[in-house]
């Protein structure tokens, strides 16, 4: 059982939570050494009661094993399989679980955050305790600390840097301070947002680097030099790359070409002005050269599994990329941002018919031919994001679920117009959905649409709804009682109506697996 994160907002804005992060702002207070877990220590006597209360079930079979009867060694092995977010949430169950999650082999998985507020406290902690964290984020406000802050950060990473395998920061100047202190770095997330920060990043300092995110509204000569260094580091073979910027189109393609044989995950984006296929004699030669560069780069890929080019808004560039990519790539996820022609959908369906499972189409799609082709792919896709603005409901229904579709488990609809019977038909035919996101649906969500969801989608784990437009007094919405079908929900974002309904109708439902609840005003 994972504790619930409750998020409520009366102004309709979602409050953010960082359940996957360890907030070390408290370090600014008194610094003390945390207790360690003794594997032979018996579990706290009250923790089973707490777990049972959280799960809503105090009754159990006589031969069932209490969780506290498991030795700590076994509990630690179980907790090792949790994600970073679930591990952080588990630490809030009770004191004993907190001690377990503070064990060195688990604690190092959680994200350690350094900011301007806690910088000195973190430094003091490193002088009295051997901190071991694999995942570190240095917040953007750190740079307010100036040269003194960089000096403290250097001292912190003298102790901490040898264990860090994943690092997220916002300034190249911060990274240059730590260049020689990160021998095990595998994942680097560099989101630069300061135009005047012209520090060169020497990638040769990170020979084990496998994942790099380099993006933001920055395009300086130093960025060009940084990209150049990625083409001159023979020891680095990137497997995951996110490269998004305004210009330096040629430099970006050179990086892709250098790592094409090893890349499995690619997110690539360029400014619309960086590449223009325009008519006219003056630009013809330049356009041909860029075409050849695209061809040389993307034909070199052979192992790509995830392609995210939602930030390539040029439809022609999108077409060329998909055309040049070989069917040899085992692509299972494609994310597009440009408005695409149905022929491009045909191309994807033909090239990766045996591997494609997830398709995100953020550009609008309205033609009948488009939905006819989507229909041919509907029985193979497990995840679909679709922007179907202005499309007739019958087209949407025909494209996604012409009949019962038991394969699709995740669906997000953008700007789609679905109400009444068409909405009912859709959810009725997608009975195996585990995630449904209608936050940006083009039509209103009423008590009728909610009742269809609660009645037919009994396998939902994650549900995101826009604030409803209830047509009737909430006390009259008896069909909402089907909300009890969704007792296995883990995430719910909606207006207050479903929660109020539970109270009004005196439902006995217990949402034992709910971890995050986001509530908005109607």
């Amino acid at each position: 059982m994972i504790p619930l994160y409750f998020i409520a907002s009366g102004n309709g804005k979602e409050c953010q939570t960082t359940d996957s992060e360890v907030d070390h702002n408290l370090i600014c207070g008194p610094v003390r050494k945390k207790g360690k877990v003794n594997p032979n220590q018996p579990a706290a006597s009250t923790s089973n009661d707490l777990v049972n209360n959280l799960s809503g079930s105090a009754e159990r079979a006589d031969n069932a094993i209490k969780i506290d009867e498991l030795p700590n060694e076994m509990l630690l092995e179980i907790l090792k399989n949790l994600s970073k977010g679930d591990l952080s949430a588990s630490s809030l169950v009770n004191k004993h679980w907190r001690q377990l999650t503070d064990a060195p082999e688990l604690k190092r998985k959680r994200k350690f955050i350094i900011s301007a507020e806690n910088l000195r406290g973190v430094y003091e902690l490193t002088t009295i305790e051997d901190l071991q964290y694999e995942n570190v984020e240095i917040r953007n406000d750190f740079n307010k600390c100036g040269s003194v802050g960089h000096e403290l950060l250097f001292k912190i990473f003298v102790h901490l840097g040898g264990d860090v395998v994943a690092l997220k920061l916002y300034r190249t100047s911060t990274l240059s301070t730590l260049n020689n202190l990160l021998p095990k770095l595998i994942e680097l997330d560099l989101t630069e947002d300061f135009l005047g920060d012209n520090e060169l990043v020497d990638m040769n300092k990170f020979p084990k680097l496998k994942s790099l995110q380099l993006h933001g509204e920055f395009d300086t000569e130093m960025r060009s030099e940084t990209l150049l260094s990625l083409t001159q580091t023979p020891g680095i073979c990137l497997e995951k790359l996110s490269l998004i910027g305004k210009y330096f189109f040629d430099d970006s393609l050179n990086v892709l070409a250098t790592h094409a044989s090893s890349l499995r995950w690619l997110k690539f984006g360029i400014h619309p002005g960086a590449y223009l296929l325009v008519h006219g004699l003056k630009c013809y030669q330049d356009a041909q050269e860029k075409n050849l560069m695209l061809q040389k780069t993307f034909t070199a890929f052979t192992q790509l599994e995830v392609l995210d080019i939602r930030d390539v808004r040029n439809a022609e560039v999108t077409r060329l990329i998909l055309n040049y990519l070989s069917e040899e790539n085992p692509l299972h996820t494609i994310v597009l941002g440009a408005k695409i022609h149905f022929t491009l959908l045909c191309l994807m369906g033909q090239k990766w018919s045996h591997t494609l499972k997830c398709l995100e189409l953020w550009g609008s799609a309205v033609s009948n031919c488009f939905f006819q082709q989507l229909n041919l792919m509907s029985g193979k896709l497990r995840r679909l994001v679709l922007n179907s603005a202005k499309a007739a409901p019958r087209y949407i229904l025909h494209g996604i679920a012409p009949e019962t579709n038991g394969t699709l488990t995740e669906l997000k609809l953008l700007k789609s117009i679905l109400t009444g019977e068409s909405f009912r038909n859709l959810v009725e035919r997608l009975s195996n959905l585990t995630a449904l996101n209608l936050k940006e649906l083009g039509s209103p969500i009423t008590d009728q649409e909610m009742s269809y969801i609660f009645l037919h989608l009994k396998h939902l784990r994650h549900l995101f709804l826009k604030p409803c437009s209830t047509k009737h007094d909430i006390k009259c919405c008896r069909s909402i009682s089907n909300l009890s079908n969704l007792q296995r929900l883990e995430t719910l974002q909606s207006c207050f109506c479903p929660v109020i309904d539970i109270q009004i109708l005196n439902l006995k439902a217990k949402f034992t697996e709910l971890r995050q609840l986001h509530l908005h005003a109607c």
Side-chain angles (χ1 to χ4, degrees):
M1 172 60 203
I2 305 299
L4 169 68
Y5 285 81
F6 177 79
I7 303 172
S9 176
N11 60 5
K13 295 182 178 179
E14 178 179 338
C15 300
Q16 299 296 326
T17 183
T18 55
D19 60 331
S20 62
E21 300 170 353
V22 182
D23 189 352
H24 286 272
N25 289 334
L26 296 177
I27 295 178
C28 294
V31 178
R32 61 185 180 86
K33 199 167 184 176
K34 297 183 180 179
K36 306 294 183 182
V37 175
N38 181 356
N40 300 316
Q41 176 186 346
S45 60
T46 58
S47 61
N48 187 65
D49 294 332
L50 289 171
V51 172
N52 280 335
N53 288 337
L54 286 167
S55 67
S57 175
E59 297 181 2
R60 65 180 183 90
D62 292 337
N63 60 350
I65 299 176
K66 294 181 181 180
I67 192 168
D68 290 332
E69 293 175 354
L70 297 174
N72 283 336
E73 295 95 328
M74 187 175 293
L75 288 174
L76 286 172
E77 288 301 316
I78 294 172
L79 291 172
K80 284 179 183 178
N81 294 293
L82 295 183
S83 66
K84 297 172 185 176
D86 287 344
L87 194 60
S88 295
S90 298
S91 68
L92 302 179
V93 172
N94 54 43
K95 182 178 179 180
H96 177 58
W97 281 43
R98 176 66 183 183
Q99 290 176 333
L100 285 170
T101 56
D102 275 343
E105 60 265 44
L106 296 178
K107 189 176 179 181
R108 63 193 296 125
K109 290 177 62 177
R110 291 149 61 187
K111 182 178 288 187
F112 189 89
I113 297 175
I114 301 175
S115 64
E117 185 178 358
N118 71 5
L119 180 64
R120 186 164 292 278
V122 171
Y123 167 68
E124 293 175 2
L125 189 60
T126 60
T127 63
I128 62 174
E129 183 174 344
D130 182 21
L131 294 183
Q132 294 182 342
Y133 283 92
E134 296 178 353
N135 189 2
V136 177
E137 177 179 348
I138 304 174
R139 289 281 171 86
N140 197 20
D141 64 354
F142 158 78
N143 288 276
K144 298 176 182 177
C145 302
S147 58
V148 175
H150 281 266
E151 183 178 342
L152 284 177
L153 188 67
F154 180 85
K155 293 179 179 179
I156 290 170
F157 271 80
V158 167
H159 298 279
L160 188 67
D163 293 304
V164 175
V165 297
L167 177 65
K168 179 177 181 179
L169 40 74
Y170 299 83
R171 304 288 182 92
T172 52
S173 58
T174 306
L175 185 60
S176 64
T177 302
L178 312 174
N179 262 351
N180 298 307
L181 302 175
L182 299 165
K184 297 181 180 179
L185 190 66
I186 296 175
E187 303 175 22
L188 175 60
D189 183 349
L190 181 59
T191 306
E192 172 127 26
D193 62 353
F194 183 59
L195 294 174
D197 196 357
N198 292 330
E199 294 282 346
L200 175 64
V201 179
D202 184 2
M203 293 298 172
N204 287 292
K205 300 292 185 179
F206 316 117
K208 295 186 178 181
L209 195 66
K210 297 294 183 184
S211 173
L212 174 64
Q213 296 188 57
L214 183 64
H215 50 87
E217 293 300 317
F218 67 104
D219 285 283
T220 65
E221 200 60 36
M222 287 299 104
R223 173 187 165 96
S224 182
E225 292 295 327
T226 298
L227 294 177
L228 181 62
S229 73
L230 283 170
T231 65
Q232 300 173 342
T233 50
I236 295 179
C237 294
L238 292 177
E239 296 179 2
K240 180 176 181 179
L241 176 62
S242 178
L243 191 58
I244 301 173
K246 275 186 170 182
Y247 302 106
F248 293 107
F249 179 82
D250 296 355
D251 292 335
S252 297
L253 288 186
N254 286 333
V255 172
L256 298 189
T258 300
H259 298 275
S261 61
S262 60
L263 279 172
R264 299 177 181 271
W265 189 101
L266 174 63
K267 184 173 184 179
F268 178 60
I270 53 176
H271 190 275
Y275 183 86
L276 293 174
L277 289 176
V278 295
H279 297 287
L281 184 62
K282 184 180 295 185
C283 297
Y284 178 77
Q285 184 176 357
D286 185 52
Q288 288 297 100
E289 289 176 357
K290 294 189 185 304
N291 276 343
L292 291 174
M293 287 189 66
L294 279 172
Q295 183 177 11
K296 178 182 177 181
T297 299
F298 284 94
T299 53
F301 283 90
T302 58
Q303 313 217 29
L304 204 59
E305 298 175 8
V306 176
L307 175 66
D308 185 342
I309 50 174
R310 77 183 75 185
D311 291 298
V312 176
R313 302 301 173 85
N314 187 300
E316 179 63 11
V317 177
T318 300
R319 184 190 68 80
L320 290 173
I321 289 174
L322 292 173
N323 188 57
Y324 292 142
L325 275 173
S326 167
E327 58 269 21
E328 181 182 353
N329 291 278
L331 274 171
H332 60 72
T333 300
I334 297 178
V335 183
L336 306 179
K339 181 178 178 180
I340 65 171
H341 194 264
F342 80 92
T343 55
L344 196 55
L345 199 60
C346 294
L347 177 67
M348 291 186 287
Q350 292 169 0
K351 276 190 168 184
W352 300 289
S353 60
H354 299 296
T355 58
L356 189 60
K357 303 298 180 185
C358 304
L359 185 60
E360 298 187 18
L361 305 173
W362 295 85
S364 59
V366 296
S367 71
N368 185 21
C369 293
F370 179 92
F371 287 100
Q372 286 180 349
Q373 178 58 35
L374 185 61
N375 170 273
L376 299 177
M377 305 169 66
S378 61
K380 300 177 181 179
L381 296 176
R382 295 178 183 174
R383 171 178 170 79
L384 176 64
V385 175
L386 180 63
N387 183 343
S388 52
K390 300 180 181 179
R394 67 179 184 277
Y395 289 167
I396 301 173
L397 191 62
H398 179 70
I400 300 175
E403 52 189 27
T404 301
N405 183 344
T407 305
L408 194 66
T409 57
E410 299 180 38
L411 175 64
K412 179 173 183 175
L413 293 176
L414 306 169
K415 303 178 182 179
S416 307
I417 307 298
L418 286 171
T419 58
E421 184 177 355
S422 60
F423 188 93
R424 178 183 64 81
N425 288 336
L426 181 66
V427 297
E428 191 174 21
R429 297 175 187 180
L430 299 175
S431 57
N432 286 338
L433 280 183
T434 59
L436 177 62
N437 191 327
L438 302 176
K439 290 196 303 180
E440 300 177 56
L441 193 68
S443 52
I445 295 288
T446 69
D447 50 83
Q448 184 180 40
E449 281 73 41
M450 283 198 292
S451 68
Y452 292 148
I453 293 172
F454 303 149
L455 176 62
H456 296 291
L457 302 182
K458 299 180 182 181
H459 300 288
L460 274 182
R461 300 292 182 272
H462 308 280
L463 177 60
F464 302 87
L465 299 174
K466 61 193 295 187
C468 75
S469 301
T470 306
K471 297 179 180 179
H472 310 290
D473 187 282
I474 199 156
K475 295 181 180 180
C476 299
C477 300
R478 309 305 295 183
S479 61
I480 210 77
S481 61
N482 291 311
L483 177 60
S484 59
N485 288 334
L486 304 188
Q487 294 189 49
R488 298 176 69 183
L489 271 181
E490 298 176 15
T491 306
L492 173 62
Q493 177 172 320
S494 74
C495 57
F496 284 90
C497 292
V499 178
I500 297 174
D501 290 335
I502 292 175
Q503 294 177 316
I504 292 176
L505 300 178
N506 195 27
L507 299 181
K508 301 301 182 182
K510 291 183 179 293
F511 296 87
T512 60
E513 300 181 36
L514 194 63
R515 292 189 300 158
Q516 295 195 36
L517 178 62
H518 307 249
L519 296 179
H520 305 293
C522 296

